[in-house]
Amino acid sequence: MKSNSTYIITIDGTSGSGKTTISNALAKKLGFSLLDSGKLYRSAGFVYLQSKESFSDLNTIKDLISKITISSSKDSNEFEISFDNKKIDHLLYTEEISESASIVSKIPEVRECMLKLQKLCVKGKGLIANGRDMGTEVFPEADLKLYVSASLDIRARRRYEELKSKGDDVSLKNVYKSLQKRDESDTNRSISPLRVPDNAQIIDTSDLKPDAIVDKILNLYTITQN
Ligand code: DC
């Protein structure tokens, strides 16, 4: 049984594997805070889209990225993101930002700034941190490490339906291709590539409903407490 320190659960996996849904539900059930590191990289992508020309100069990148801050929310478990003191969480889920986040996440200086922000989230009784390198690079000391995956077909359909329900004009074929491109980029990049962390539990979410996955993880959590 842990005492006096923050219990950390990392959830890594490919885009659209269900990390966000699972992390939200787990954070609520356990009363832990939630760090969605993909959202943090999206905020860097947001900054990049606004000032592409400045991204050729490493000092300017650092200056711009240092205007990204995170804070606890009064209304939810999830850390909120601001740029230049303005909340930007609601602006980060477009295909354009998905692509620019994938570009900037390969810049070492960006990852260095993100690492510092992510470490600040370790406080309180527990933290759920999801992304690509949570269990490998950011929180290798985590108490419970999970790796979630699902087939590309299933992930593309899920993401397509999510974007459609928000009124985005997208085709299934383009969503599929974009996810495929991001998988390649996330797994083949030289810096912090997506991989299964040592000692991680692997969960295939293709045929499981979110509730069943959350129950499975809560079970694993209980086992680590004994
Ligand atoms: O999970 P997501 O689609 O919101 O992530 C957006 C992008 O950020 C994705 O291209 C991968 C990148 N990312 C990363 O490089 N490292 C993380 N820990 C999380 C996300």
Side-chain angles (χ1 to χ4, degrees), residues 9-10 13 16 28 46 66 81 93 105 113 134 139 149 191-192 195 211:
I9 301 180
T10 59
K28 279 195 193 110
F46 170 87
S66 67
I81 305 183
Y93 287 88
S105 62
C113 296
M134 297 296 98
F139 303 115
S149 65
I191 178 164
S192 295
R195 57 187 173 79
D211 282 356

Side-chain angles (χ1 to χ4, degrees), residues 15 19 37-38 41-42 101-102 105 111 131-134 182 186 189:
S15 294
K19 295 187 299 287
S37 64
Y41 281 96
R42 284 170 181 274
S102 178
S105 62
R111 297 204 79 87
R132 306 293 188 289
D133 59 348
M134 297 296 98
R182 250 178 287 151
D186 288 346
R189 69 183 179 211

Side-chain angles (χ1 to χ4, degrees), residues 19-191:
K19 295 187 299 287
T20 308
T21 312
I22 298 165
S23 307
N24 271 307
L26 269 180
K28 279 195 193 110
K29 289 228 171 192
L30 294 171
F32 284 9
S33 46
L34 169 61
L35 162 67
D36 182 339
S37 64
K39 198 162 83 171
L40 210 47
Y41 281 96
R42 284 170 181 274
S43 69
F46 170 87
V47 177
Y48 170 74
L49 276 183
Q50 292 198 332
S51 11
K52 270 189 190 159
E53 36 334 305
S54 312
F55 266 69
S56 50
D57 174 58
L58 294 182
N59 285 327
T60 323
I61 294 180
K62 281 191 179 176
D63 285 350
L64 282 169
I65 297 289
S66 67
K67 292 186 187 168
I68 297 174
T69 50
I70 45 177
S71 54
S72 303
S73 159
K74 280 185 228 85
D75 312 316
S76 94
N77 301 53
E78 192 173 346
F79 285 100
E80 291 177 332
I81 305 183
S82 301
F83 176 63
D84 225 0
N85 297 318
K86 287 185 202 76
K87 295 247 179 335
I88 54 167
D89 304 62
H90 60 292
L91 302 173
L92 303 176
Y93 287 88
T94 64
E95 275 302 280
E96 202 184 13
I97 297 223
S98 297
E99 296 200 356
S100 57
S102 178
I103 295 169
V104 294
S105 62
K106 294 194 195 97
I107 304 175
E109 286 72 16
V110 170
R111 297 204 79 87
E112 208 180 287
C113 296
M114 297 292 127
L115 185 66
K116 287 186 192 141
L117 285 174
Q118 292 167 127
K119 295 274 189 196
L120 294 175
C121 297
V122 182
K123 52 187 174 190
K125 72 168 177 167
L127 173 70
I128 314 272
N130 74 36
R132 306 293 188 289
D133 59 348
M134 297 296 98
T136 51
E137 305 284 342
V138 183
F139 303 115
E141 75 284 16
D143 301 279
L144 178 58
K145 298 184 191 184
L146 306 160
Y147 183 89
V148 289
S149 65
S151 70
L152 182 56
D153 274 356
I154 287 183
R155 288 185 288 126
R157 188 158 289 283
R158 282 182 191 158
R159 181 58 59 92
Y160 168 75
E161 273 157 18
E162 184 189 325
L163 291 168
K164 276 293 218 199
S165 72
K166 285 196 294 180
D168 286 8
D169 182 22
V170 285
S171 73
L172 180 58
K173 190 171 155 203
N174 285 346
V175 172
Y176 183 98
K177 279 194 188 154
S178 155
L179 274 180
Q180 193 173 37
K181 203 165 120 198
R182 250 178 287 151
D183 280 1
E184 268 167 34
S185 159
D186 288 346
T187 48
N188 295 326
R189 69 183 179 211
S190 55
I191 178 164

